[in-house]
Amino acid sequence: MKKKVVIENLSVNIGKKSIIKKFNLDIYEHEILSIIGPANSGKSTFLRALNRLLDVNPSFSVKGKIFIDGENIYRKEIQKNELRKRIGMIFALPVALPMSVYDNLAYGPRLHGETSKSKLLARARECLILSSLWDEVKDRLDIPAMRLSGGQQQRLCLARALMVSPEIILFDEPCSGLDPVSTAKVEASMIKLKKKYTIVLVTNNTKQAARVGDRVAFFLSGDLIEVGKTEKIFTVPKDERTNGYITGRFG
């Protein structure tokens, strides 16, 4: 498999406190990498390092290199807005914009200069299908997005991220507040999406990590303890700490 992301000696500190402790990790094209671990293990911080969202907080310092398709995204010349267009992110709580469903979807492409309504509508339909939401909103694109259920809003946020054609999608606990039916729809979307995109999923739900992940990485207190194929991590992990977390002995 082709390496999409290569992380070399990544460390993240906030002030003098170490959040991520100098690790290396490869992420492959068209895979779902599930990241598990207890609270305060650096999982969400890792996602924000991948699309440079940590830059908005001067308290964070990042050392090391992250390569996407061979390009170091921490070099000074990088255009952060273009980088974040390539790397979409879905947060734990859906953040629907206070406008219609359609305008939520069209927002990103319009910022990048797209004005053709026919192209926007075609793209919106495609992205809503990919996010398993089309059948539920196809006749309601003009209603306020805030009127959708929480699960629908989360899938709308996913569709909105897809509208600008990212290459990588980061999910930070996307199902933490969702019911089982909505969770199943989000997971079904992830499995469809990996055919076109590379996906990194942070989840506290080990069953979810096992259901959708091609590989699993276990983080603990800022360290990458191990990473491997999902079935091996959940049956014969190399590290006893991984086994302890998966079996519920701590975390």
Side-chain angles (χ1 to χ4, degrees):
M1 296 174 66
K2 177 185 175 183
K3 294 178 182 178
K4 183 69 176 178
V5 183
V6 176
I7 293 125
E8 295 182 353
N9 299 318
L10 178 67
S11 299
V12 178
N13 291 342
I14 182 165
K16 295 183 179 180
K17 183 180 179 181
S18 180
I19 308 298
I20 292 176
K21 302 173 183 176
K22 198 173 184 179
F23 65 65
N24 302 293
L25 177 64
D26 296 332
I27 303 172
Y28 297 101
E29 199 169 49
H30 304 304
E31 78 164 342
I32 299 176
L33 175 67
S34 296
I35 299 177
I36 61 173
N40 302 313
S41 289
K43 305 185 299 295
S44 294
T45 298
F46 173 68
L47 290 190
R48 286 157 176 76
L50 286 177
N51 68 354
R52 296 197 59 172
L53 274 180
L54 295 179
D55 291 19
V56 303
N57 187 337
S59 299
F60 283 94
S61 62
V62 180
K63 295 182 180 179
K65 297 178 180 179
I66 299 177
F67 296 92
I68 297 178
D69 291 332
E71 178 183 27
N72 181 10
I73 67 169
Y74 275 88
R75 62 187 180 87
K76 291 182 179 179
E77 300 81 4
I78 201 78
Q79 296 293 318
K80 296 177 189 177
N81 287 338
E82 287 301 311
L83 173 69
R84 292 172 188 145
K85 181 182 175 184
R86 296 173 64 192
I87 308 174
M89 187 159 180
I90 313 300
F91 297 93
L93 294 176
V95 185
L97 301 174
M99 53 184 69
S100 71
V101 171
Y102 171 75
D103 286 328
N104 264 265
L105 295 167
Y107 184 81
R110 284 171 175 163
L111 283 181
H112 292 282
E114 182 58 72
T115 59
S116 169
K117 188 169 183 179
S118 61
K119 289 182 180 178
L120 287 170
L121 280 170
R123 181 65 179 157
R125 182 180 185 276
E126 178 185 358
C127 293
L128 287 169
I129 290 172
L130 285 170
S131 60
S132 303
L133 188 58
W134 173 250
D135 288 338
E136 297 169 45
V137 302
K138 62 184 178 182
D139 298 320
R140 301 191 295 157
L141 296 178
D142 59 342
I143 70 167
M146 306 301 286
R147 284 173 52 186
L148 299 178
S149 70
Q152 289 172 329
Q153 287 187 42
Q154 188 64 294
R155 285 176 282 142
L156 176 63
C157 290
L158 171 56
R160 190 176 66 205
L162 297 177
M163 288 289 290
V164 294
S165 302
E167 301 164 28
I168 300 167
I169 307 172
L170 311 176
F171 289 89
D172 190 4
E173 287 289 341
C175 303
S176 61
L178 302 186
D179 60 84
V181 173
S182 295
T183 295
K185 290 181 178 180
V186 172
E187 292 177 0
S189 295
M190 289 183 201
I191 292 169
K192 285 191 294 185
L193 288 168
K194 75 173 183 177
K195 296 176 183 177
K196 295 182 65 175
Y197 308 95
T198 298
I199 294 175
V200 184
L201 166 68
V202 162
T203 179
N204 286 326
N205 185 334
T206 55
K207 292 181 179 179
Q208 181 176 68
R211 285 193 298 266
V212 303
D214 297 294
R215 292 191 305 144
V216 173
F218 175 54
F219 285 20
L220 182 63
S221 300
D223 289 314
L224 172 60
I225 303 302
E226 66 176 298
V227 60
K229 290 186 176 181
T230 300
E231 59 270 22
K232 289 189 176 180
I233 292 291
F234 279 94
T235 55
V236 284
K238 296 178 181 178
D239 195 289
E240 180 57 32
R241 290 170 293 180
T242 308
N243 187 58
Y245 178 72
I246 289 170
T247 56
R249 291 203 296 274
F250 74 92

